[in-house]
Amino acid sequence: MGQNWVRVLQVKLKQDLGNGKGREIVFGDNFPNYDLQIEIQVNKYMSALKDNALITIANLTYSEVINIVNGKYYSVEIIAGYRNGNQMCVFKGAILRISNTLESDRTNVISILCGSNLIARYSQKFLNFSLKSGMNTYSAIKFLSARAGIKNGNISEQFKKDFLQQVQTETKTIGGYLEALTTDNASFVLNADASANSTFSIYDARRSNNRVINLADAQFIAKMPSLNSSGLNFTLMPVFNFMCGDVVLIDNAMISLSKVDSLDNLTNQPGYYLDTSNEGSSLGAYVIINITYTLCNRSSEFSCNITAKARSLLSNFIGV
């Protein structure tokens, strides 16, 4: 039974030869002989431009170091979880930058900075485009995605009901266009998280039932939730692939309230940031805005930290 909760942490690097072909190398798959030291931080945001991962691997062989530094691999996939079957892809993207250092004990340490596929793969060139007045937003996103080479964007059909009010003639990357679209429309939720098998997903929170995850039993919460002006913060074991925009239900009685600094007497009250959308229930609904994975195969760090905002507060300015 003890083996079931032994952690799994793998980094998959793959050549990009087109048509899904290319040699793949996997680091961290040789349990129980952890000859490598792997440390990873993954950051996900409700944004087209910010998702990233930093991978640090020590004790690689000389040939492995040479192949990585020389740019032999491009695609990146990070798998995390436990040997009981709770394993998931927490990041899928491409390499942006590589550095190699030699520590005092003659150990090679490779650092790999990664970006989402939307940025690293598809937003490296500008698109010159003109969108006609009366075109629906769904068709506009679909057209520009195709121009950028994206075949698997997850675009909500809600946008077929929205129409452009004027001609748009611009020069932008597909990532820049989607970021501007969500900035101009506060209720639009965008994920550049290819771990869910689409390069990006976009929907309108006013018209959509966000995915709802009930954490009321708190069985996988490693650190009890706290709440302040930045939002609800809590840490879990990495056993579920959360997405920004997901709604988590949690018992407000479990939350530690922190005093916040504010000139506004109302927002200076700790309870102001609690969700109150579920009348007659102690459950609060919180919308995830940031996810950070801290993953190590040797140290004690192996967690998922989530920041979320009360759905009732978000409703005030995005109309959810």
Side-chain angles (χ1 to χ4, degrees), residues 129-144:
F129 60 89
S130 181
L131 303 175
K132 296 180 180 179
S133 174
M135 186 180 194
N136 67 57
T137 304
Y138 178 91
S139 297
I141 299 173
K142 193 81 172 177
F143 168 70
L144 292 176

PDB file of all heavy atoms in Angstrom, residues 129-144:
ATOM      1  N   PHE A 129      -3.896  41.000 -40.842  1.00  0.00           N
ATOM      2  CA  PHE A 129      -5.250  40.525 -41.122  1.00  0.00           C
ATOM      3  C   PHE A 129      -6.254  41.669 -41.108  1.00  0.00           C
ATOM      4  O   PHE A 129      -6.022  42.730 -40.519  1.00  0.00           O
ATOM      5  CB  PHE A 129      -5.668  39.455 -40.105  1.00  0.00           C
ATOM      6  CG  PHE A 129      -5.668  39.913 -38.672  1.00  0.00           C
ATOM      7  CD1 PHE A 129      -6.798  40.485 -38.096  1.00  0.00           C
ATOM      8  CD2 PHE A 129      -4.527  39.772 -37.880  1.00  0.00           C
ATOM      9  CE1 PHE A 129      -6.802  40.894 -36.772  1.00  0.00           C
ATOM     10  CE2 PHE A 129      -4.516  40.186 -36.552  1.00  0.00           C
ATOM     11  CZ  PHE A 129      -5.659  40.749 -35.998  1.00  0.00           C
ATOM     12  N   SER A 130      -7.362  41.408 -41.773  1.00  0.00           N
ATOM     13  CA  SER A 130      -8.488  42.336 -41.785  1.00  0.00           C
ATOM     14  C   SER A 130      -9.755  41.529 -41.571  1.00  0.00           C
ATOM     15  O   SER A 130     -10.028  40.571 -42.313  1.00  0.00           O
ATOM     16  CB  SER A 130      -8.551  43.083 -43.128  1.00  0.00           C
ATOM     17  OG  SER A 130      -9.621  44.003 -43.133  1.00  0.00           O
ATOM     18  N   LEU A 131     -10.514  41.880 -40.528  1.00  0.00           N
ATOM     19  CA  LEU A 131     -11.748  41.179 -40.195  1.00  0.00           C
ATOM     20  C   LEU A 131     -12.931  42.078 -40.528  1.00  0.00           C
ATOM     21  O   LEU A 131     -12.971  43.241 -40.117  1.00  0.00           O
ATOM     22  CB  LEU A 131     -11.758  40.801 -38.708  1.00  0.00           C
ATOM     23  CG  LEU A 131     -10.580  39.948 -38.223  1.00  0.00           C
ATOM     24  CD1 LEU A 131     -10.650  39.754 -36.710  1.00  0.00           C
ATOM     25  CD2 LEU A 131     -10.552  38.604 -38.938  1.00  0.00           C
ATOM     26  N   LYS A 132     -13.902  41.531 -41.225  1.00  0.00           N
ATOM     27  CA  LYS A 132     -15.030  42.332 -41.695  1.00  0.00           C
ATOM     28  C   LYS A 132     -16.052  42.589 -40.590  1.00  0.00           C
ATOM     29  O   LYS A 132     -16.256  41.764 -39.697  1.00  0.00           O
ATOM     30  CB  LYS A 132     -15.727  41.609 -42.858  1.00  0.00           C
ATOM     31  CG  LYS A 132     -14.865  41.431 -44.104  1.00  0.00           C
ATOM     32  CD  LYS A 132     -15.633  40.711 -45.185  1.00  0.00           C
ATOM     33  CE  LYS A 132     -14.790  40.537 -46.434  1.00  0.00           C
ATOM     34  NZ  LYS A 132     -15.541  39.811 -47.508  1.00  0.00           N
ATOM     35  N   SER A 133     -16.691  43.737 -40.671  1.00  0.00           N
ATOM     36  CA  SER A 133     -17.797  44.048 -39.770  1.00  0.00           C
ATOM     37  C   SER A 133     -18.929  43.057 -39.996  1.00  0.00           C
ATOM     38  O   SER A 133     -19.241  42.702 -41.140  1.00  0.00           O
ATOM     39  CB  SER A 133     -18.299  45.476 -40.026  1.00  0.00           C
ATOM     40  OG  SER A 133     -19.442  45.748 -39.266  1.00  0.00           O
ATOM     41  N   GLY A 134     -19.541  42.559 -38.924  1.00  0.00           N
ATOM     42  CA  GLY A 134     -20.620  41.580 -39.024  1.00  0.00           C
ATOM     43  C   GLY A 134     -20.148  40.144 -38.906  1.00  0.00           C
ATOM     44  O   GLY A 134     -20.953  39.226 -38.751  1.00  0.00           O
ATOM     45  N   MET A 135     -18.832  39.922 -38.960  1.00  0.00           N
ATOM     46  CA  MET A 135     -18.273  38.574 -38.784  1.00  0.00           C
ATOM     47  C   MET A 135     -18.439  38.182 -37.320  1.00  0.00           C
ATOM     48  O   MET A 135     -18.246  38.994 -36.412  1.00  0.00           O
ATOM     49  CB  MET A 135     -16.797  38.587 -39.160  1.00  0.00           C
ATOM     50  CG  MET A 135     -16.101  37.245 -39.167  1.00  0.00           C
ATOM     51  SD  MET A 135     -14.341  37.450 -39.650  1.00  0.00           S
ATOM     52  CE  MET A 135     -13.897  35.743 -39.989  1.00  0.00           C
ATOM     53  N   ASN A 136     -18.830  36.921 -37.046  1.00  0.00           N
ATOM     54  CA  ASN A 136     -18.969  36.546 -35.638  1.00  0.00           C
ATOM     55  C   ASN A 136     -17.611  36.231 -35.025  1.00  0.00           C
ATOM     56  O   ASN A 136     -16.651  35.884 -35.727  1.00  0.00           O
ATOM     57  CB  ASN A 136     -19.978  35.402 -35.455  1.00  0.00           C
ATOM     58  CG  ASN A 136     -19.512  34.091 -36.045  1.00  0.00           C
ATOM     59  OD1 ASN A 136     -18.453  33.575 -35.695  1.00  0.00           O
ATOM     60  ND2 ASN A 136     -20.309  33.527 -36.952  1.00  0.00           N
ATOM     61  N   THR A 137     -17.538  36.381 -33.714  1.00  0.00           N
ATOM     62  CA  THR A 137     -16.265  36.237 -33.004  1.00  0.00           C
ATOM     63  C   THR A 137     -15.703  34.830 -33.129  1.00  0.00           C
ATOM     64  O   THR A 137     -14.489  34.635 -33.232  1.00  0.00           O
ATOM     65  CB  THR A 137     -16.444  36.599 -31.518  1.00  0.00           C
ATOM     66  OG1 THR A 137     -16.974  37.924 -31.418  1.00  0.00           O
ATOM     67  CG2 THR A 137     -15.130  36.549 -30.765  1.00  0.00           C
ATOM     68  N   TYR A 138     -16.584  33.832 -33.154  1.00  0.00           N
ATOM     69  CA  TYR A 138     -16.136  32.435 -33.326  1.00  0.00           C
ATOM     70  C   TYR A 138     -15.365  32.282 -34.632  1.00  0.00           C
ATOM     71  O   TYR A 138     -14.263  31.714 -34.656  1.00  0.00           O
ATOM     72  CB  TYR A 138     -17.341  31.498 -33.301  1.00  0.00           C
ATOM     73  CG  TYR A 138     -17.000  30.043 -33.527  1.00  0.00           C
ATOM     74  CD1 TYR A 138     -16.725  29.206 -32.456  1.00  0.00           C
ATOM     75  CD2 TYR A 138     -16.969  29.491 -34.818  1.00  0.00           C
ATOM     76  CE1 TYR A 138     -16.420  27.866 -32.654  1.00  0.00           C
ATOM     77  CE2 TYR A 138     -16.658  28.164 -35.026  1.00  0.00           C
ATOM     78  CZ  TYR A 138     -16.382  27.354 -33.943  1.00  0.00           C
ATOM     79  OH  TYR A 138     -16.069  26.034 -34.140  1.00  0.00           O
ATOM     80  N   SER A 139     -15.928  32.799 -35.725  1.00  0.00           N
ATOM     81  CA  SER A 139     -15.278  32.675 -37.031  1.00  0.00           C
ATOM     82  C   SER A 139     -13.966  33.440 -37.076  1.00  0.00           C
ATOM     83  O   SER A 139     -12.994  32.995 -37.695  1.00  0.00           O
ATOM     84  CB  SER A 139     -16.215  33.183 -38.133  1.00  0.00           C
ATOM     85  OG  SER A 139     -17.388  32.396 -38.190  1.00  0.00           O
ATOM     86  N   ALA A 140     -13.928  34.596 -36.393  1.00  0.00           N
ATOM     87  CA  ALA A 140     -12.703  35.395 -36.372  1.00  0.00           C
ATOM     88  C   ALA A 140     -11.576  34.637 -35.679  1.00  0.00           C
ATOM     89  O   ALA A 140     -10.442  34.573 -36.176  1.00  0.00           O
ATOM     90  CB  ALA A 140     -12.964  36.723 -35.676  1.00  0.00           C
ATOM     91  N   ILE A 141     -11.875  34.039 -34.506  1.00  0.00           N
ATOM     92  CA  ILE A 141     -10.857  33.289 -33.768  1.00  0.00           C
ATOM     93  C   ILE A 141     -10.432  32.057 -34.562  1.00  0.00           C
ATOM     94  O   ILE A 141      -9.235  31.737 -34.659  1.00  0.00           O
ATOM     95  CB  ILE A 141     -11.381  32.876 -32.380  1.00  0.00           C
ATOM     96  CG1 ILE A 141     -11.739  34.109 -31.548  1.00  0.00           C
ATOM     97  CG2 ILE A 141     -10.349  32.032 -31.641  1.00  0.00           C
ATOM     98  CD1 ILE A 141     -12.412  33.787 -30.230  1.00  0.00           C
ATOM     99  N   LYS A 142     -11.410  31.386 -35.163  1.00  0.00           N
ATOM    100  CA  LYS A 142     -11.122  30.190 -35.953  1.00  0.00           C
ATOM    101  C   LYS A 142     -10.219  30.530 -37.136  1.00  0.00           C
ATOM    102  O   LYS A 142      -9.248  29.821 -37.437  1.00  0.00           O
ATOM    103  CB  LYS A 142     -12.439  29.585 -36.454  1.00  0.00           C
ATOM    104  CG  LYS A 142     -12.322  28.182 -37.031  1.00  0.00           C
ATOM    105  CD  LYS A 142     -12.300  27.152 -35.933  1.00  0.00           C
ATOM    106  CE  LYS A 142     -12.387  25.747 -36.487  1.00  0.00           C
ATOM    107  NZ  LYS A 142     -12.294  24.723 -35.426  1.00  0.00           N
ATOM    108  N   PHE A 143     -10.529  31.630 -37.822  1.00  0.00           N
ATOM    109  CA  PHE A 143      -9.758  32.054 -38.998  1.00  0.00           C
ATOM    110  C   PHE A 143      -8.316  32.387 -38.621  1.00  0.00           C
ATOM    111  O   PHE A 143      -7.367  31.922 -39.265  1.00  0.00           O
ATOM    112  CB  PHE A 143     -10.438  33.272 -39.632  1.00  0.00           C
ATOM    113  CG  PHE A 143      -9.601  33.979 -40.655  1.00  0.00           C
ATOM    114  CD1 PHE A 143      -9.333  33.400 -41.886  1.00  0.00           C
ATOM    115  CD2 PHE A 143      -9.078  35.237 -40.379  1.00  0.00           C
ATOM    116  CE1 PHE A 143      -8.547  34.064 -42.829  1.00  0.00           C
ATOM    117  CE2 PHE A 143      -8.298  35.893 -41.306  1.00  0.00           C
ATOM    118  CZ  PHE A 143      -8.034  35.319 -42.537  1.00  0.00           C
ATOM    119  N   LEU A 144      -8.126  33.172 -37.568  1.00  0.00           N
ATOM    120  CA  LEU A 144      -6.781  33.566 -37.174  1.00  0.00           C
ATOM    121  C   LEU A 144      -5.991  32.390 -36.607  1.00  0.00           C
ATOM    122  O   LEU A 144      -4.775  32.305 -36.796  1.00  0.00           O
ATOM    123  CB  LEU A 144      -6.851  34.705 -36.166  1.00  0.00           C
ATOM    124  CG  LEU A 144      -7.366  36.036 -36.724  1.00  0.00           C
ATOM    125  CD1 LEU A 144      -7.489  37.076 -35.626  1.00  0.00           C
ATOM    126  CD2 LEU A 144      -6.457  36.555 -37.836  1.00  0.00           C
TER     127      LEU A 144
END
